């Protein structure tokens, strides 16, 4: 009767065929690819390009919205316009800002829809100026 061999002894004694070795390597490659794309954060070139395009558009809209808020606040009739903006529904605020011309960047005639909506959201979040309290005294 043969004594039980350890795992290391059985590993040493095994002689895999070329077919078994090939399929073992193929399964390891496929498993690495699946794990990499699923949990490893790998992306394809197309996905990376679309993510970069989206990030660039988002940052451009945020910059345009900041400029828009500054232009809106610098206007002479800003308090009255702010009241009019807040009276509108959220779906109409972007077009209100576009029509007012505050969202237009200096190098462009037509502002982006995203920039106008973002600017309108930022303006709607502003508090009305406290100038009325000074004039009431």
């Amino acid at each position: 009767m043969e004594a039980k061999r350890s795992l290391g002894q059985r590993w040493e004694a095994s002689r895999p065929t070329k077919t078994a070795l090939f399929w073992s390597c193929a399964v390891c490659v496929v498993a690495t690819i699946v794990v990499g794309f699923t949990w490893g954060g790998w992306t394809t070139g197309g996905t990376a390009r679309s993510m970069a395009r989206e990030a660039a558009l988002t940052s451009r809209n945020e910059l345009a919205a900041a400029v828009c808020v500054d232009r809106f606040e610098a206007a002479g009739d800003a308090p009255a316009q702010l009241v009019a903006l807040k009276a509108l529904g959220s779906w109409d605020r972007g077009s209100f800002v576009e029509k007012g011309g505050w969202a237009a960047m200096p190098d462009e005639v037509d502002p982006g829809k995203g920039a106008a909506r973002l600017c309108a959201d930022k303006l709607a979040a502003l508090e009305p100026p406290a100038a009325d309290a000074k004039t009431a005294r």
Side-chain angles (χ1 to χ4, degrees):
M1 195 149 137
E2 248 182 71
K4 281 193 163 185
R5 295 189 306 178
S6 69
L7 180 62
Q9 290 170 337
R10 283 185 283 166
W11 182 261
E12 249 178 53
S14 71
R15 298 288 175 237
T17 62
K18 288 180 183 176
T19 305
L21 188 61
F22 169 77
W23 284 112
S24 297
C25 289
V27 167
C28 286
V29 166
V30 169
T32 301
I33 290 171
V34 167
V35 168
F37 279 106
T38 307
W39 295 297
W42 298 356
T43 59
T44 61
T47 302
R49 276 190 292 280
S50 68
M51 288 169 57
R53 211 174 299 122
E54 184 67 29
L57 182 62
T58 301
S59 63
R60 181 208 167 275
N61 285 343
E62 288 176 3
L63 176 65
V67 170
C68 171
V69 169
D70 286 342
R71 284 184 178 174
F72 185 90
E73 289 176 335
D77 60 346
Q81 292 292 346
L82 185 60
V83 170
L85 176 80
K86 287 187 176 198
L88 295 173
S90 62
W91 57 91
D92 290 331
R93 291 178 181 162
S95 61
F96 178 80
V97 169
E98 283 180 27
K99 289 176 187 171
W102 301 293
M105 295 301 286
D107 60 342
E108 297 179 11
V109 175
D110 184 31
K113 296 284 184 195
R117 269 189 245 119
L118 188 59
C119 176
D121 292 342
K122 287 184 178 191
L123 289 171
L126 290 177
E127 292 296 320
D132 296 332
K134 289 180 183 177
T135 57
R137 289 186 194 177

